[in-house]
């Protein structure tokens, strides 16, 4: 069975995940450190992990495999899941791939160094309709590909 694992803390596309998953018959695991309200449907699982550092990431990375789509904005978690064979999408619909993850990790490290040095950096642009639309298209395409490759 195809599964969608959602790094739910601060994920702006949970409702979209539910809609696309239902259409494709995929199971969904909403993983977080705190209690989230999720629809009471048999194919949606709420997973509340301890509040330990990276507990949600660890759960997702251990559960990820070649039959999963992982939704996360966390670059290091994306890297771990790619190594498990999972398809990984950011909430804005941009895929993390083996070819792109190295550059994303390097950029993350540079930005962390700049922030540590006191530089004032702006955050990502606001999440918009275009991001939501791209995410819906990317998730649908990923689920179609996974189903075809089974």
């Amino acid at each position: 069975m195809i599964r969608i694992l959602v790094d739910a803390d601060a994920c702006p596309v949970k409702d979209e995940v539910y809609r696309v998953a239902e259409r494709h018959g995929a199971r969904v695991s909403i993983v977080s450190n705190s209690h989230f309200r999720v629809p009471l449907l048999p194919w949606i699982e709420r997973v509340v992990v301890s509040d330990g550092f990276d507990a949600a990431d660890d759960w997702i990375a251990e559960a990820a495999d070649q039959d999963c789509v992982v939704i996360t904005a966390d670059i290091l978690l994306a890297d771990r899941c790619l190594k498990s064979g999972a398809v990984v999408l950011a909430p804005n619909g941009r895929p993390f791939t083996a070819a792109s993850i190295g550059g994303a990790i390097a950029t993350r490290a540079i930005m962390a160094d700049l922030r540590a040095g006191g530089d004032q950096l702006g955050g990502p642009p606001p999440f918009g309709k275009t991001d939501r639309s791209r995410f819906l298209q990317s998730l649908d395409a990923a689920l179609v590909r996974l189903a075809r490759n089974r």
Side-chain angles (χ1 to χ4, degrees):
M1 159 109 13
I2 295 173
R3 297 176 302 142
I4 303 171
L5 307 177
V6 181
D7 185 5
D9 295 320
C11 179
V13 291
K14 290 186 282 294
D15 290 336
E16 289 77 5
V17 169
Y18 305 145
R19 269 199 337 252
V20 175
E22 183 175 29
R23 194 167 59 243
H24 286 274
R27 298 188 59 75
V28 176
S29 295
I30 301 294
V31 185
S32 66
N33 298 95
S34 59
H35 195 76
F36 272 96
R37 187 180 307 213
V38 299
L40 296 175
L41 296 167
W43 47 272
I44 299 176
E45 168 189 29
R46 176 183 22 230
V47 179
V48 180
V49 298
S50 74
D51 60 355
F53 185 72
D54 281 345
D57 293 359
D58 291 343
W59 190 98
I60 292 168
E62 289 172 17
D65 62 23
Q66 69 279 356
D67 291 326
C68 289
V69 175
V70 175
I71 311 302
T72 186
D74 184 319
I75 295 166
L76 298 180
L77 174 59
D79 182 45
R80 292 170 67 187
C81 294
L82 285 171
K83 289 175 181 171
S84 297
V87 174
V88 184
L89 298 175
N92 64 7
R94 297 204 190 280
F96 289 103
T97 65
S100 70
I101 197 69
I105 291 170
T107 300
R108 178 187 181 277
I110 290 168
M111 298 302 278
D113 286 346
L114 290 173
R115 282 190 297 275
D119 289 332
Q120 298 291 323
L121 305 171
F127 190 80
K129 288 181 181 179
T130 304
D131 297 315
R132 195 172 306 280
S133 177
R134 185 183 319 112
F135 175 78
L136 285 166
Q137 292 173 354
S138 296
L139 180 57
D140 189 70
L143 292 172
V144 166
R145 258 190 332 274
L146 279 177
R148 192 177 311 135
N149 293 336
R150 295 184 97 212

